[in-house]
Amino acid sequence: MKLSGLVIRLQAGFYFVETAEGLISCQLRGRFKKGVIEGDLVAVGDRVEISLLADGTGVIEKVCERISAFIRKAPSARGDYKQVLLANPDQIVLVFACAEPNPRLRMLDRFLVIAEKEEIPALIVANKIDLIGLDRAQQIFLMYPPLGYEVLFTSVKMQYGIEELYRKLHGKISALAGPSGVGKSSLLNVIQPHLGLDVGRVSGLTSKGRHTTVVRELFPLRGGGYVADMPGLRSLSLWDTEPEELDGYFPELRTLVADCRFNDCTHQMEPGCAVRQAVKEGRVNEERYVSYLRMRLGEEDD
Ligand code: GDP
Ligand code: ZN
C-alpha cells in the first residue's frame, strides 16, 4: 500500500512518518543512497511517499520537492555536506526576552536576514513583558512592525499573549529560535504541556556547531501544526551570502540602494550614499544600520 506523509522525527537511521494510517517507522529505499551524497536526502519536514510493508513498517519511495529549508553546511573530507536542519517551515518564530536576558537585537537582525534569504515569514515574540511592562517592551521592538515583522508580546508569568501565540502556531510548521533563557520552553509548555521541550534544560552548545544539536523532531500541536526547536540556527550564519547581496535582505534598505550614486556602493563611506542619508534623516533605524554593517564586515553578533 502507498501512503503519503510528513517526516516528523529522525532517530537512529529511522524516519518516522505521520500518515493517514498513523505514525509509521520507515527506512530509505536503497537506491536513494547511490552516488555522491551532497546533503541530507530526507529531513524532518519533508513530505514523502512511502510503501507500507506487511510488518507495519514503511519504505520511503519518494521525497517531494522542498519548498524551503534551513540548511547548514558541514565541512567534511569530501567537501561541504548540506545538513538540512528543517525542510519546508511555514514560518520562523524568533523568541527574545524583554529582560533577563536583555534582548540581543543584533542576533535578532541576523535571524531576520536568514529568514529573508530563505523567504520564510518571521514572527518576533517578545517574552517576559512582566519584567518591564508593555510600554517599554513596545519601545524596544518598535522598529520591526514598520518593516513588516509582526511582534507578539507575551508573558508566561502573567499568561499574556499566550492564546494569540497559539493561534499563530496553529496549523503551521514553525521553527522556533532564540537565545537560551528567554522562555521558549516555558511558552510551549503553557501552550501545550508536555510538548517535548524541557524547561531550563542545559544546552551546552558551541557556536561552531560541533556539539550543536540539530532539529530531529517536529512536535505536534493539539488541533494541528508542528513546532521544531532550532538551537542550531545560530550556526547557520550566512555562509553563501555575498556582502553585496546583504542589503537585499533588509526590507528598509532594499528600495534605497538604487538611489546610491555608485551601483557598487557598500553604504559605508561613499559619497552620495542613499542609505547613509536615510540613516541621517532618521528614515532608517540606526541600530538596524549598525547590524547591517556588522554583518557585512562578517562580525559576530553580541
Ligand atoms: P529557554 O531556554 O528559552 O527554553 O527558556 P526557559 O523556558 O527555560 O525559561 C528560562 C527562565 O525564564 C525560567 O526560569 C522561566 O521560568 C523564566 N521565564 C519564562 N518565561 C517568563 C516570563 O514570561 N516572565 C518571567 N519573569 N520569567 C519567565
Ligand atoms: Zn550606499
Side-chain angles (χ1 to χ4, degrees):
M1 182 164 66
K2 301 261 186 246
L3 288 170
S4 59
L6 175 72
V7 179
I8 68 162
R9 190 166 71 208
L10 246 109
Q11 198 179 324
F14 288 91
Y15 302 87
F16 291 81
V17 179
E18 188 73 70
T19 72
E21 302 288 314
L23 192 61
I24 295 169
S25 156
C26 298
Q27 284 187 292
L28 257 190
R29 175 70 82 203
R31 66 177 155 83
F32 269 112
K33 299 175 192 163
K34 294 219 181 85
V36 184
I37 296 177
E38 294 173 343
D40 293 336
L41 301 168
V42 183
V44 164
D46 269 324
R47 302 215 158 260
V48 294
E49 281 173 21
I50 67 166
S51 45
L52 194 58
L53 306 179
D55 65 359
T57 68
V59 174
I60 296 178
E61 303 281 359
K62 188 180 162 217
V63 183
C64 303
E65 202 182 325
R66 279 178 202 137
I67 298 163
S68 59
F70 289 119
I71 294 169
R72 177 165 76 179
K73 239 189 203 172
S76 82
R78 287 182 293 168
D80 285 333
Y81 181 88
K82 284 183 187 147
Q83 193 174 32
V84 179
L85 298 182
L86 178 63
N88 304 319
D90 291 310
Q91 63 182 351
I92 176 155
V93 179
L94 303 169
V95 186
F96 286 80
C98 297
E100 298 178 27
N102 281 332
R104 297 167 65 177
L105 300 185
R106 301 265 177 266
M107 193 197 286
L108 171 55
D109 288 337
R110 182 179 298 270
F111 286 165
L112 289 172
V113 164
I114 292 170
E116 289 286 339
K117 188 177 166 70
E118 300 298 328
E119 297 182 38
I120 295 163
L123 170 68
I124 299 168
V125 173
N127 188 37
K128 305 200 190 184
I129 62 161
D130 54 283
L131 296 176
I132 63 167
L134 184 59
D135 284 352
R136 274 177 61 202
Q138 281 170 335
Q139 281 297 314
I140 295 174
F141 292 91
L142 98 180
M143 60 281 234
Y144 295 104
L147 303 177
Y149 303 120
E150 189 180 355
V151 184
L152 201 63
F153 295 92
T154 62
S155 166
V156 174
K157 207 165 179 182
M158 302 190 318
Q159 296 280 304
Y160 183 90
I162 305 297
E163 256 313 300
E164 207 179 341
L165 179 58
Y166 171 71
R167 279 200 298 275
K168 296 284 176 194
L169 299 178
H170 177 255
K172 292 185 178 142
I173 296 181
S174 303
L176 196 74
S180 67
V182 298
K184 296 182 295 299
S185 337
S186 306
L187 282 167
L188 291 177
N189 267 303
V190 287
I191 283 176
Q192 183 167 323
H194 319 298
L195 188 70
L197 305 179
D198 312 321
V199 177
R201 70 198 177 288
V202 185
S203 57
L205 310 176
T206 68
S207 63
K208 294 296 164 221
R210 224 178 128 225
H211 303 288
T212 305
T213 49
V214 293
V215 175
R216 288 295 179 231
E217 186 159 15
L218 287 177
F219 297 103
L221 285 172
R222 67 184 150 91
Y226 297 87
V227 177
D229 194 12
M230 300 265 310
L233 197 74
R234 274 208 82 191
S235 62
L236 227 83
S237 64
L238 294 162
W239 45 267
D240 62 349
T241 305
E242 299 298 328
E244 307 82 70
E245 60 175 314
L246 195 57
D247 51 27
Y249 304 133
F250 281 76
E252 68 272 57
L253 305 187
R254 212 154 31 211
T255 49
L256 283 175
V257 298
D259 298 331
C260 292
R261 186 179 305 161
F262 304 108
N263 63 11
D264 59 351
C265 186
T266 69
H267 322 306
Q268 293 172 78
M269 49 201 56
E270 292 90 340
C273 172
V275 169
R276 273 179 41 232
Q277 187 63 28
V279 174
K280 205 185 289 171
E281 290 170 10
R283 286 180 283 120
V284 163
N285 180 280
E286 195 158 357
E287 288 302 312
R288 287 274 297 168
Y289 174 61
V290 173
S291 284
Y292 164 77
L293 288 179
R294 296 195 53 161
M295 270 182 247
R296 177 148 190 145
L297 297 169
E299 285 170 26
E300 285 277 306
D301 46 35
D302 39 41

